[in-house]
Amino acid sequence: KNEVEQSPQNLTAQEGEFITINCSYSVGISALHWLQQHPGGGIVSLFMLSSGKKKHGRLIATINIQEKHSSLHITASHPRDSAVYICAVSQDTDKLIFGTGTRLQVFP
Amino acid sequence: EPEVTQTPSHQVTQMGQEVILRCVPISNHLYFYWYRQILGQKVEFLVSFYNNEISEKSEIFDDQFSVERPDGSNFTLKIRSTKLEDSAMYFCASSEVVQTQYFGPGTRLLVL
């Protein structure tokens, strides 16, 4: 059983749409991370959060510790947002446990 | 902006050969990591390194793997005798303290 599950696996949107990607985890965590993987493979950290909500530009990440659930929202989506979005968690140590990712395609 | 660099970007090797993947972490970072991603699969943790020693390793990181920080700037992953199943993208990451990790662009390893 995967410790970190994401949904949906694939997501297609029209430019301007509001997008939500969900992440559920089954283990105790110290922090949850959202990362973006570009088509070429590079990985960029977007957020690290342990409670509440964080916002950076058009991206918003929320976490509900009691429900072991996090969401990543993208407002006013744009074709350049097309990427794989990955949820990962860290527990007592700093190693990251990754989800399988959500492939997002935004069309003009 | 400081970034993690990795060399080579691509490596093709024959089964049984040794490979060394190199990483230059961000200069003031103290924590270093290697992850790998087999094509089509999720990213997996291999090893973390702090204060010149391994702090944690996964089941994947068996005796064929080793890490080293030979000169205070480079951080290397050595695979002694590569297997077909070692073919993957290998990512190095570093962090200043135990928080956001900064990833390198990856080395794509193909074992034939």
Side-chain angles (χ1 to χ4, degrees), chain A residues 7-64:
Chain A
S7 64
Q9 280 190 297
N10 295 283
L11 185 53
T12 302
Q14 287 295 124
E15 184 173 356
E17 283 185 8
F18 181 83
I19 287 161
T20 296
I21 299 170
N22 296 299
C23 174
S24 296
Y25 53 92
S26 57
V27 294
I29 67 169
S30 58
L32 184 139
H33 305 249
W34 282 102
L35 309 105
Q36 181 190 55
Q37 186 168 29
H38 299 292
I43 297 174
V44 175
S45 290
L46 299 174
F47 294 104
M48 185 182 83
L49 62 167
S50 53
S51 65
K53 176 174 155 177
K54 285 191 176 179
K55 184 175 190 290
H56 186 257
R58 294 181 294 106
L59 301 178
I60 303 165
T62 63
I63 187 168
N64 184 319

Side-chain angles (χ1 to χ4, degrees), chain A residues 2-4 33 35 37 39-45 47-48 86 93-101, chain B residues 31 33 35 37 41-45 48 55-56 58 89 91 95 98-105 108:
Chain A
N2 287 326
E3 293 142 309
V4 182
H33 305 249
L35 309 105
Q37 186 168 29
I43 297 174
V44 175
S45 290
F47 294 104
M48 185 182 83
I86 304 173
T93 66
D94 46 352
K95 77 174 187 190
L96 295 181
I97 303 169
F98 287 76
T100 51
Chain B
Y31 297 82
Y33 313 86
Y35 296 88
Q37 185 177 33
Q41 298 186 21
K42 63 182 179 180
V43 179
E44 301 171 289
F45 168 78
S48 57
S55 45
E56 189 174 1
S58 72
M89 182 79 108
F91 292 101
S95 64
V98 179
Q99 54 180 12
T100 299
Q101 295 179 22
Y102 293 82
F103 286 79
R108 190 172 296 280

